[in-house]
Amino acid sequence: PVGQLVDDNQQPPTSFIRLPSSDVNSSSLSSESQSPSGRKTGASTRTGKSGSTASTGGNNSGGHNSEEGPNHNLSLNIDHVRTGKDRRSSLMVRNIPNKYTQQMLLSEFASSGHGPTKMDFFYLPIDFKNKCNRGYAFVNFVDYKDICAFFDEYNGTSWKRFNSDKICDITYARIQGKAAMLKRFENSALMEKDDEYRPKVFVSHGERKGQIESMPMMGSGGSGSAIQ
């Protein structure tokens, strides 16, 4: 029933399973499956605030603003980011307590120095029936180098709200770059929903950097899939 809270252990759907087209949140951006405990069953990278990493994946390299194939390694090796070996800019933030709203999470990121002047795309998928987030979000950084501070701050740590036992886990998103992410919303019925359900887009450069940017004009009412 509407208003019922979802289980805080809710996780993204199994790898590359496309939900029915009637679900305007459906897509294939998420990649690795997770266990009920919130741990991935695929490639992973664990670290604390020290920033050290231990990746079980293969070679982490990739193009900024490129769309990754389904077999591309999405684990994040922070040392590769620091040295410029990996310059991908879009992340999937996992194991978010389901009671976080879009504004709560954006405010928390901003208060830690990771606000709209650093990110130009933010999307927290919401379960329309339960009015709770699905436990993960997507963000794109204007400069890939800013991923380092964000990763060190959040990956492998507990969340600041709701006394949740979930541990934040950060990987790369399969779709890379602001433009590619926005393209996923073409003809999506999600764009007809209230603002709280839609992605947040911010000006990437110039005097208005960090200010809200209007979503590009897109068709509506179609069965196009949004990022999930």
Side-chain angles (χ1 to χ4, degrees), residues 108-125:
E108 181 171 317
F109 287 165
S111 66
S112 299
H114 314 293
T117 58
K118 302 290 181 66
M119 299 176 181
D120 57 7
F121 180 92
F122 171 90
Y123 177 46
L124 179 67

Side-chain angles (χ1 to χ4, degrees), residues 4-213:
Q4 179 181 350
L5 294 180
V6 296
D7 187 341
D8 202 40
N9 287 320
Q10 179 179 329
Q11 300 301 329
T14 306
S15 317
F16 303 105
I17 298 297
R18 185 179 293 277
L19 299 178
S21 60
S22 60
D23 184 340
V24 294
N25 266 335
S26 61
S27 175
S28 58
L29 182 66
S30 53
S31 58
E32 300 155 351
S33 59
Q34 297 188 355
S35 66
S37 64
R39 295 182 180 179
K40 299 192 301 296
T41 58
S44 63
T45 301
R46 304 306 304 163
T47 184
K49 288 192 178 262
S50 63
S52 61
T53 64
S55 175
T56 61
N59 181 32
N60 247 351
S61 62
H64 177 65
N65 289 341
S66 65
E67 182 167 345
E68 309 297 344
N71 295 321
H72 191 89
N73 177 30
L74 300 177
S75 61
L76 194 159
N77 186 319
I78 197 62
D79 291 331
H80 289 181
V81 180
R82 290 193 171 101
T83 60
K85 185 176 181 179
D86 197 329
R87 300 188 178 189
R88 283 176 283 177
S89 61
S90 303
L91 306 179
M92 183 176 187
V93 184
R94 302 169 178 262
N95 300 336
I96 299 170
N98 300 100
K99 294 180 182 179
Y100 268 94
T101 65
Q102 176 177 259
Q103 190 55 52
M104 282 180 190
L105 192 56
L106 274 173
S107 295
E108 181 171 317
F109 287 165
S111 66
S112 299
H114 314 293
T117 58
K118 302 290 181 66
M119 299 176 181
D120 57 7
F121 180 92
F122 171 90
Y123 177 46
L124 179 67
I126 301 294
D127 185 300
F128 301 135
K129 293 181 180 179
N130 298 301
K131 308 297 183 182
C132 294
N133 78 68
R134 292 175 177 262
Y136 52 96
F138 300 100
V139 299
N140 183 71
F141 282 85
V142 178
D143 186 339
Y144 79 92
K145 296 176 184 177
D146 289 324
I147 288 175
C148 296
F150 181 77
F151 188 88
D152 291 345
E153 175 76 18
Y154 284 100
N155 193 67
T157 65
S158 300
W159 293 92
K160 299 176 181 179
R161 291 176 179 249
F162 305 117
N163 194 31
S164 174
D165 60 357
K166 284 189 172 183
I167 303 299
C168 179
D169 185 34
I170 298 174
T171 66
Y172 282 113
R174 188 178 66 84
I175 303 300
Q176 284 292 311
K178 177 182 179 181
M181 285 186 160
L182 286 174
K183 188 174 178 62
R184 301 296 293 187
F185 292 90
E186 289 183 353
N187 302 317
S188 173
L190 177 67
M191 304 314 298
E192 298 178 348
K193 297 291 183 179
D194 293 338
D195 184 64
E196 63 183 301
Y197 296 111
R198 291 179 287 175
K200 286 291 186 183
V201 185
F202 306 98
V203 178
S204 305
H205 305 285
E207 295 181 356
R208 296 184 59 246
K209 181 178 181 180
Q211 296 181 26
I212 291 289
E213 180 178 340

